[in-house]
């Protein structure tokens, strides 16, 4: 907390997905700011940079193709949520990526729920 109603922080993450046809590794990092207009309710702005690799394997009896691609995308998530009280706080909410472009994004939707833990220093 940098003021009574203003919190600054950073997030980092890793996502791994795999099925019969797809393998994906995705890393993300970025800063966020939470503004608390009332206690325990916050508005959030979160810039995230995503980078990773995707491998698609389309093997059938008649067709055999392996496709690899690097993924890079920036996102500006705006949203709101709830945060519990105390030095270790639980957060949950929903955000929308205002930079989302359908059929161009690594995400299937611009809307994203979130949950996390915030530790005050």
């Amino acid at each position: 907390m940098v003021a009574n109603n203003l919190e600054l922080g950073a997030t980092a993450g890793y996502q791994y997905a795999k099925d019969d046809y797809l393998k994906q590794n995705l890393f993300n990092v970025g800063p966020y700011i939470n503004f608390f207009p009332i206690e325990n309710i916050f508005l959030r702005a979160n810039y995230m940079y995503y980078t990773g690799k995707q491998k698609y394997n389309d093997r059938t009896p008649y067709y055999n193709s392996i496709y690899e691609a690097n993924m890079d995308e920036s996102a500006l998530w705006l949203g709101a949520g709830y945060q519990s009280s105390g030095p270790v706080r639980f957060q949950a909410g929903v955000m929308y990526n205002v930079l989302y472009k359908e059929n161009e994004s690594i995400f299937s939707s611009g809307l994203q729920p979130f949950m996390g833990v915030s530790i005050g220093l």
Side-chain angles (χ1 to χ4, degrees), residues 34-110:
N34 289 340
F35 172 71
F36 293 83
I38 58 176
E39 188 175 353
N40 299 100
I41 302 297
F42 61 90
L43 304 174
R44 172 177 278 190
N46 185 193
Y47 171 80
M48 295 293 285
Y49 175 71
Y50 298 88
T51 186
K53 192 171 248 186
Q54 186 176 61
K55 185 176 181 180
Y56 183 76
N57 184 355
D58 184 16
R59 291 186 181 180
T60 66
Y62 306 104
Y63 188 72
N64 187 1
S65 175
I66 295 176
Y67 172 75
E68 289 188 24
N70 291 325
M71 300 178 298
D72 290 297
E73 185 169 341
S74 293
L76 179 57
W77 301 97
L78 302 178
Y82 168 81
Q83 177 172 278
S84 65
S85 300
V88 177
R89 299 173 301 274
F90 170 77
Q91 298 177 337
V94 65
M95 299 183 294
Y96 181 76
N97 179 7
V98 297
L99 303 178
Y100 175 75
K101 294 179 183 160
E102 192 172 2
N103 299 325
E104 294 180 27
S105 177
I106 60 176
F107 301 102
S108 60
S109 169

